[in-house]
Amino acid sequence: METKILKVDPLNPEDDLMNIAVGILKNKELVAFPTETVYGLGAAGLISEAVEKIFIAKNRPQDNPLILHVCSIEMVEQIAEDISTDARKLMNEFWPGPLTIIFKRKANVPDVITAGLDTVAIRMPDNKIALKLIEKLGMPIAAPSANTSGKPSPTCAKDVYEDMKGRIPLIIDGGDARVGLESTVVDLSKGNAMILRPGEITIDDLKKYFERVELDPALLDGREIKKPIAPGQKYRHYAPKAEMILFTYSDDMTSRINKKYDELTNQGKKVGILTVDENLGKYDANIIFSLGTEKDLKTVAHNLFKSIREIDNLGVDVILCEGVKEDGIGLAIMNRLKKSSGGNIA
Ligand code: TXA
Ligand code: MG
């Protein structure tokens, strides 16, 4: 299958170009498209035969449920049951935006979306191309991140192409994804709010609306992955081809990394370092990438997956990666890095 890349204006998506993409979705084929978080691999969300192709293209385990993307609250009402006032508050406040909410499903949601659960994950992306695609299709779009299962999520069309070339007919290129990490996933079904996957919308953001905001216990330790509530969280994720070692944030972090760097290069290994602007001068390494300034972790989040792919594509044996403080969006960054490293934490 030939994979075409279609450049679309992210601020004012061209109707004729969007119609090409919608035609493919109506034909039950897949289209990769930009969202504000990462690129999604989209299928017509209420048609099982279309959604099944997502699992094949990504090589995704069948028991990992998908998010349905909507363009209006009416669309949520068509697929979700018992929408609580709390859920309505969050939708009003954060949508369109990087927050996925777990609802009780209606019967028209295909089993292949929910992996047999009685709940469905829904979000409204903050991206004009994504919203127009959903609106023109006239139904929710099912979309996981558009990477091969297990790899870092793609934040630009080129990274989607690297994984999906020959597997899907179309990639819409709408430029770089703003956030760079997947949406925060929150479950309200137990009365309070439980974060199943951290993202740009933080615990503190949600605390304005709930007395208690809990974290899925499975998130607290990336090494031992216990029984997670979000089924997708149990799989190896975001992993480069190279071995990756994550160094927890501390005052002596850079000297710990330097020591490891010397040890590995002495063994003849090709080693890359992922750092921040403030620490660039503290290493004497040939392959070194800065993720941005530690004073603005949103920039670090934005660059994270892209940089992991770039450094990996240089053919390094080992990536040594700095950790960040687990505050605010730092929690989401560390959640992804713990998984990228497969729990290889120093
Ligand atoms: O930002 C995002 O959320 C991106 C863009 C494309 O929208 N999508 C994304 O999808 O990250 P995916 O499939 O890579 O991750 C969806 C996560 C998985 O961890 C999955 O297990 C969880 O949401 N999930 C889906 N349905 C669920 C449900 N009914 N209950 C609990 N967790 C669910
Ligand atoms: Mg994913």
Side-chain angles (χ1 to χ4, degrees), residues 58 60 144-145 147 153 182 197 237-238:
K58 277 190 63 115
R60 181 178 174 109
S145 47
N147 51 284
S153 300
E182 307 82 352
R197 180 176 68 183
H237 258 121
Y238 322 118

Side-chain angles (χ1 to χ4, degrees), residues 15-310:
D15 272 305
D16 52 335
L17 301 182
M18 295 304 294
N19 288 340
I20 297 173
V22 172
I24 293 173
L25 289 173
K26 284 194 171 151
N27 234 346
K28 302 175 195 162
E29 297 292 336
L30 306 182
V31 173
F33 63 98
T35 83
E36 83 282 33
T37 56
V38 299
Y39 271 67
L41 183 59
L46 301 182
I47 304 175
S48 301
E49 194 190 329
V51 177
E52 277 157 15
K53 292 181 181 159
I54 290 176
F55 291 84
I56 298 165
K58 277 190 63 115
N59 201 9
R60 181 178 174 109
Q62 291 282 348
D63 65 348
N64 191 2
L66 299 172
I67 297 172
L68 283 177
H69 296 69
V70 298
C71 62
S72 67
I73 305 287
E74 294 76 67
M75 214 177 240
V76 177
E77 285 160 352
Q78 287 161 19
I79 52 179
E81 203 84 73
D82 305 338
I83 302 170
S84 66
T85 28
D86 282 341
R88 286 191 192 273
K89 266 191 233 158
L90 293 189
M91 291 192 281
N92 283 336
E93 180 62 28
F94 295 107
W95 283 7
L99 182 72
T100 297
I101 305 172
I102 309 293
F103 293 91
K104 199 168 159 208
R105 72 187 272 198
K106 277 198 170 148
N108 60 341
V109 177
D111 285 336
V112 60
I113 294 280
T114 65
L117 298 172
D118 58 4
T119 53
V120 59
I122 305 177
R123 88 174 190 98
M124 189 189 291
D126 186 17
N127 178 288
K128 286 192 173 152
I129 294 174
L131 291 171
K132 196 158 182 176
L133 199 61
I134 302 161
E135 198 186 321
K136 277 182 175 280
L137 180 67
M139 75 161 78
I141 293 182
S145 47
N147 51 284
T148 306
S149 216
K151 290 190 62 180
S153 300
T155 58
C156 61
K158 177 182 132 295
D159 290 352
V160 177
Y161 191 73
E162 185 176 292
D163 283 17
M164 290 299 145
K165 183 179 178 221
R167 296 177 158 259
I168 62 172
L170 188 72
I171 299 167
I172 300 177
D173 181 352
D176 260 15
R178 181 183 65 79
V179 179
L181 298 180
E182 307 82 352
S183 60
T184 305
V185 179
V186 65
D187 185 357
L188 307 176
S189 67
K190 314 281 180 302
N192 44 20
M194 162 127 18
I195 293 179
L196 305 185
R197 180 176 68 183
E200 190 189 54
I201 293 179
T202 62
I203 301 180
D204 286 338
D205 292 332
L206 294 173
K207 272 194 180 152
K208 290 177 198 141
Y209 302 88
F210 298 93
E211 257 173 50
R212 278 180 57 204
V213 178
E214 290 178 278
L215 279 180
D216 179 351
L219 293 172
L220 298 176
D221 190 345
R223 268 169 279 206
E224 192 192 336
I225 297 171
K226 303 196 186 78
K227 237 197 206 156
I229 298 168
Q233 299 294 61
K234 75 178 178 226
Y235 295 105
R236 177 107 198 259
H237 258 121
Y238 322 118
K241 292 175 268 251
E243 181 191 346
M244 181 160 143
I245 306 174
L246 172 64
F247 289 78
T248 50
Y249 187 88
S250 69
D251 289 342
D252 65 345
M253 179 174 68
T254 55
S255 57
R256 282 154 55 217
I257 292 177
N258 270 319
K259 203 167 147 218
K260 193 71 185 174
Y261 182 86
D262 291 343
E263 185 187 315
L264 291 167
T265 42
N266 284 338
Q267 291 168 13
K269 297 238 166 96
K270 187 170 172 182
V271 184
I273 295 179
L274 287 176
T275 181
V276 290
D277 293 349
E278 287 80 358
N279 294 338
L280 264 174
K282 297 184 183 155
Y283 303 105
D284 182 20
N286 293 326
I287 303 173
I288 180 160
F289 281 51
S290 172
L291 299 169
T293 167
E294 66 180 342
K295 292 193 197 82
D296 180 10
L297 289 184
K298 281 194 180 181
T299 311
V300 172
H302 174 82
N303 293 325
L304 187 69
F305 286 144
K306 200 186 201 107
S307 303
I308 292 176
R309 279 181 181 257
E310 275 177 29

